[in-house]
Amino acid sequence: MRGQMFPSNFGELLEACISFCRESEKRMKSERVQENRAKLSSFVEAFHKQCGTLTPSVQERIEDLKNEDCIVLMTAHQPNFFAYSGVLRKATLNFVLAERLHKEFNVPVVNFFGIADQDFTDDRWVRSCELPAVQRSGGILSLNVKVPEKMMLNRVSKPSSDHLKSWRTEIEKWIDDASGSLRRSCNAFGFSEKFAILYSKLRENFGLFWNIVEDSYEHAEKYSDFNAFVMSKIINSAWGYDTLFTRFSECQQIFVDEFGYLLSRFDDYSLLLKEARELPGTEDLAGGVSDQEPWLAPFWYHCDCGGKFKLFVQEKDGSLFGTGNCVRCGEYIELGFGAKKSPDISGIASKISARAIPMSLVFFNGLVPSCYVGGIGGFKYLLQAQHIANRLEIPFPPLTFWRPHDRYLGLEQAIAVLEQKRICADLNVQSLSEARNCLESRISEIQKKLGALEESRKKMIEELKNDPNNNSLKEEIKRISISHTQWVRSSNLSVVTQQLKTLENVNTVLKLVPCIIDYAVNVGLKEASDQWIRYLIENGNLSLDFTINSVLDEIGANLGLSPSIWEQL
Ligand SMILES: [Zn+2]
């Protein structure tokens, strides 16, 4: 799908963006877009001031937004809880792209990162994050936050400082548990000193990350800001990018004209939404236009309760209205949007936010960005939005996404491979899949034998009911029960079952796409960004998984943990 619909490597993406910039120059320089960008700059500045990331380069880019030659690149995401790398590397891709476009055109290029903080609290990744953990049930340690349902994220207060402390304790325990395991292996091979150096590096890396977390916590009042500030501090401070952040909840009021345009073309817009549902090639993708969408206003209206009104568009005597209920408290509302031919929503602009499909339509129409880096989950929406944009003469930039699985040797990945090696050696097999097959067939053999014993015991108990004084039958039942217990013991069923569980956890750990904490500790924040940038410049394939270096590489080599461990998965 990738090759046909969007660029599959960095070079192609760059070419597509260059063409788009050339074709769209007039639109970018239009008075309306220039005004929107200037308005956006004030919201950007407010965000970075509050976050504490108004760095000199951020300040320069804010000024650049008011330059009529400026090229804008865009991405957006919800303020995830300790986001995973897929969220943060969107900024890396735009950062590298911006440098190249600046070289090509010699004009200012701005990376814009929208924080979708008016989205509902229901998404899994704004409530939890995951770390690999071989010894824990399921192979995963997850940190969780309790937030009310169906609320806008920016209406939820930040968690208490006790939560912050408990996360820190959990993460430190996670590092220490895993370090304990690895230390034993290192001691056995005579690498105690090397391990001591490694351990202090891991703790130092965690310390740097936790400073960011505590600083973000202090600057934030709302939960969404806490998460967004962590993202901005990683990207702007630790990585030194000039990415500009804004809260969607604040900046969408800029787009009064763009929302008005969609309302003025509502009949076409509605029809195109119906068509978009049947778009060929998107059948297997998740998400996309809902059944009600063609009848809904392109925006939510914010309720005082923290929820949002879903508005159905109606027409009466040449005027448009939106009517509907708040999805949280159920209250009913009726809002006038003005004359059908020239709707005006300026009176309610500060209390609206775009629905999923029109989000890209108003941003692309209003700011004319030259690239949009999306996420996997939102891709169907973007393809459907593209269909609508093309027919409503709304500019639509080249789209891409970049979500490989980084392969690196972190603490848990190292323990996973050591566990796998230990079990394989025990079973005298070579690979994870062989070991799994071997254990599964042993378990099924044992269970078959135990099942047969249980079956004959049941049968004799039935017989005993008809012949209660049959002593030899009683003896036989006793003998079978003893034999059952002996079998469980001698077959090592509990050990074999535990080994299989461990192997499943090994598989989970090596396949997991963990949250940024795993990178911060094992790779280092800055080092992760540097390696991604280098990959984009030297390789640039946006679909391939690739290996990055971690602080464990040297010890890993000493322990015989080859980088090819992932290939057998
Ligand atoms: Zn409400």
Side-chain angles (χ1 to χ4, degrees):
M1 178 183 78
R2 174 160 212 148
Q4 296 142 19
M5 290 183 181
F6 32 84
S8 57
N9 68 58
F10 184 75
E12 280 175 28
L13 177 66
L14 179 63
E15 286 305 314
C17 294
I18 290 172
S19 303
F20 182 87
C21 288
R22 293 208 170 108
E23 287 158 17
S24 314
E25 196 183 346
K26 215 172 139 198
R27 273 177 146 155
M28 286 186 210
K29 291 186 178 175
S30 74
E31 205 178 317
R32 177 178 57 82
V33 172
Q34 294 293 312
E35 267 176 32
N36 287 341
R37 290 180 175 187
K39 283 182 195 160
L40 180 72
S41 69
S42 62
F43 292 115
V44 172
E45 189 171 359
F47 176 93
H48 285 278
K49 259 188 194 158
Q50 286 157 18
C51 174
T53 48
L54 195 58
T55 63
S57 63
V58 165
Q59 227 149 5
E60 278 174 35
R61 296 296 87 75
I62 290 172
E63 286 312 307
D64 285 345
L65 264 182
K66 300 168 205 159
N67 182 321
E68 73 158 10
D69 293 325
C70 180
I71 292 171
V72 175
L73 309 177
M74 182 178 171
T75 190
H77 209 278
Q78 292 168 330
N80 279 12
F81 178 49
F82 297 142
Y84 83 109
S85 68
V87 175
L88 299 164
R89 71 198 313 148
K90 288 175 164 184
T92 308
L93 183 51
N94 271 344
F95 178 72
V96 178
L97 195 56
E99 282 192 343
R100 290 304 171 94
L101 287 170
H102 176 65
K103 261 189 206 159
E104 176 74 25
F105 291 103
N106 198 26
V107 297
V109 185
V110 161
N111 291 316
F112 165 57
F113 198 128
I115 297 287
D117 64 331
Q118 84 298 42
D119 274 7
F120 283 118
T121 42
D122 308 21
D123 186 83
R124 178 180 172 193
W125 301 117
V126 300
R127 300 159 165 260
S128 69
C129 67
E130 291 182 342
L131 287 164
V134 187
Q135 315 289 355
R136 311 239 180 170
S137 126
I140 287 173
L141 163 65
S142 64
L143 303 177
N144 299 295
V145 185
K146 274 201 177 135
V147 286
E149 296 205 351
K150 291 187 177 155
M151 279 269 268
M152 285 184 285
L153 284 162
N154 66 336
R155 297 289 290 268
V156 179
S157 297
K158 68 179 177 185
S160 73
S161 57
D162 287 345
H163 280 89
L164 202 67
K165 282 182 203 145
S166 76
W167 298 332
R168 185 189 178 138
T169 310
E170 280 230 55
I171 300 165
E172 286 180 330
K173 187 173 180 319
W174 169 74
I175 297 174
D176 284 346
D177 286 350
S179 297
S181 286
L182 195 64
R183 181 185 286 121
R184 285 189 287 281
S185 297
C186 287
N187 289 349
F189 284 90
F191 304 135
S192 320
E193 242 169 76
K194 276 186 183 164
F195 181 82
I197 296 168
L198 169 71
Y199 180 70
S200 72
K201 182 65 189 164
L202 293 166
R203 293 303 303 239
E204 184 193 323
N205 278 353
F206 176 64
L208 290 173
F209 175 72
W210 206 252
N211 287 343
I212 288 178
V213 173
E214 285 187 339
D215 203 35
S216 302
Y217 186 82
E218 264 169 45
H219 282 77
E221 281 178 24
K222 297 298 178 188
Y223 176 56
S224 54
D225 274 351
F226 165 62
N227 288 338
F229 288 178
V230 171
M231 286 157 67
S232 165
K233 279 175 193 293
I234 291 174
I235 290 169
N236 298 120
S237 303
W239 294 356
Y241 295 3
D242 49 7
T243 307
L244 302 186
F245 284 87
T246 325
R247 303 174 182 98
F248 271 4
S249 61
E250 288 179 340
C251 74
Q252 292 197 10
Q253 58 188 291
I254 297 170
F255 303 118
V256 170
D257 289 347
E258 289 72 17
F259 281 118
Y261 175 67
L262 291 179
L263 285 174
S264 73
R265 304 275 310 260
F266 192 77
D267 293 341
D268 295 326
Y269 168 76
S270 181
L271 191 72
L272 289 165
L273 278 168
K274 288 175 201 161
E275 278 178 23
R277 282 192 298 193
E278 316 295 330
L279 216 56
T282 62
E283 300 86 353
D284 299 334
L285 298 174
V289 177
S290 70
D291 290 348
Q292 291 178 333
E293 202 68 38
W295 291 271
L296 293 173
F299 47 81
W300 298 91
Y301 183 71
H302 304 167
C303 180
D304 292 337
C305 80
K308 296 188 270 192
F309 291 92
K310 193 191 260 187
L311 299 169
F312 289 86
V313 172
Q314 285 170 18
E315 193 191 329
K316 204 172 148 193
D317 304 331
S319 292
L320 287 180
F321 296 87
T323 60
N325 300 83
C326 168
V327 298
R328 184 160 190 267
C329 71
E331 199 188 301
Y332 176 80
I333 202 168
E334 198 173 316
L335 292 167
F337 300 151
K340 193 188 174 193
K341 283 183 185 155
S342 55
D344 179 11
I345 54 150
S346 50
I348 55 167
S350 64
K351 290 187 77 177
I352 63 170
S353 51
R355 293 179 57 80
I357 299 254
M359 189 281 283
S360 50
L361 299 177
V362 296
F363 273 94
F364 296 170
N365 198 9
L367 298 174
V368 193
S370 298
C371 178
Y372 184 84
V373 181
I376 297 265
F379 231 81
K380 189 163 182 176
Y381 287 113
L382 284 169
L383 294 173
Q384 291 174 331
Q386 190 174 30
H387 171 79
I388 299 165
N390 290 344
R391 282 154 183 82
L392 291 182
E393 300 95 39
I394 290 172
F396 209 87
L399 297 178
T400 194
F401 68 89
W402 186 36
R403 193 186 164 275
H405 181 200
D406 293 313
R407 297 156 164 184
Y408 58 88
L409 198 64
L411 271 172
E412 289 288 344
Q413 293 82 353
I415 296 164
V417 181
L418 287 170
E419 281 292 297
Q420 180 193 330
K421 285 185 148 210
R422 182 179 63 77
I423 294 172
C424 285
D426 266 6
L427 301 172
N428 200 20
V429 295
Q430 298 299 320
S431 70
L432 186 63
S433 59
E434 276 179 89
R436 203 187 290 141
N437 290 343
C438 176
L439 290 172
E440 275 168 358
S441 68
R442 271 194 201 178
I443 289 174
S444 104
E445 214 175 283
I446 298 165
Q447 279 168 344
K448 216 163 141 192
K449 174 77 183 167
L450 294 177
L453 286 172
E454 183 59 22
E455 204 47 45
S456 50
R457 195 176 72 96
K458 270 188 192 159
K459 217 165 137 195
M460 285 178 196
I461 289 174
E462 279 305 310
E463 282 175 29
L464 196 61
K465 279 183 189 161
N466 301 328
D467 187 8
N469 299 321
N470 185 335
N471 282 334
S472 70
L473 210 51
K474 281 182 192 165
E475 278 305 306
E476 188 59 9
I477 292 171
K478 209 191 262 173
R479 196 190 60 75
I480 291 178
S481 293
I482 291 167
S483 173
H484 189 278
T485 315
Q486 278 173 342
W487 244 96
V488 170
R489 220 175 280 150
S490 68
S491 64
N492 264 344
L493 181 61
S494 65
V495 174
V496 179
T497 310
Q498 187 52 46
Q499 281 183 326
L500 187 62
K501 267 191 193 157
T502 303
L503 278 190
E504 275 160 13
N505 288 0
V506 164
N507 194 40
T508 303
V509 163
L510 296 181
K511 279 190 172 160
L512 185 75
V513 179
C515 76
I516 195 67
I517 301 169
D518 202 48
Y519 289 75
V521 172
N522 295 299
V523 179
L525 284 175
K526 182 75 169 71
E527 290 75 9
S529 154
D530 289 348
Q531 295 186 71
W532 293 339
I533 291 174
R534 202 160 49 225
Y535 173 84
L536 285 174
I537 294 169
E538 290 172 4
N539 183 315
N541 186 317
L542 299 171
S543 314
L544 279 187
D545 292 343
F546 58 98
T547 304
I548 58 174
N549 297 117
S550 78
V551 298
L552 282 93
D553 282 0
E554 197 193 331
I555 277 208
N558 290 147
L559 293 174
L561 307 179
S562 129
S564 65
I565 47 174
W566 283 271
E567 277 156 27
Q568 57 172 300
L569 287 179

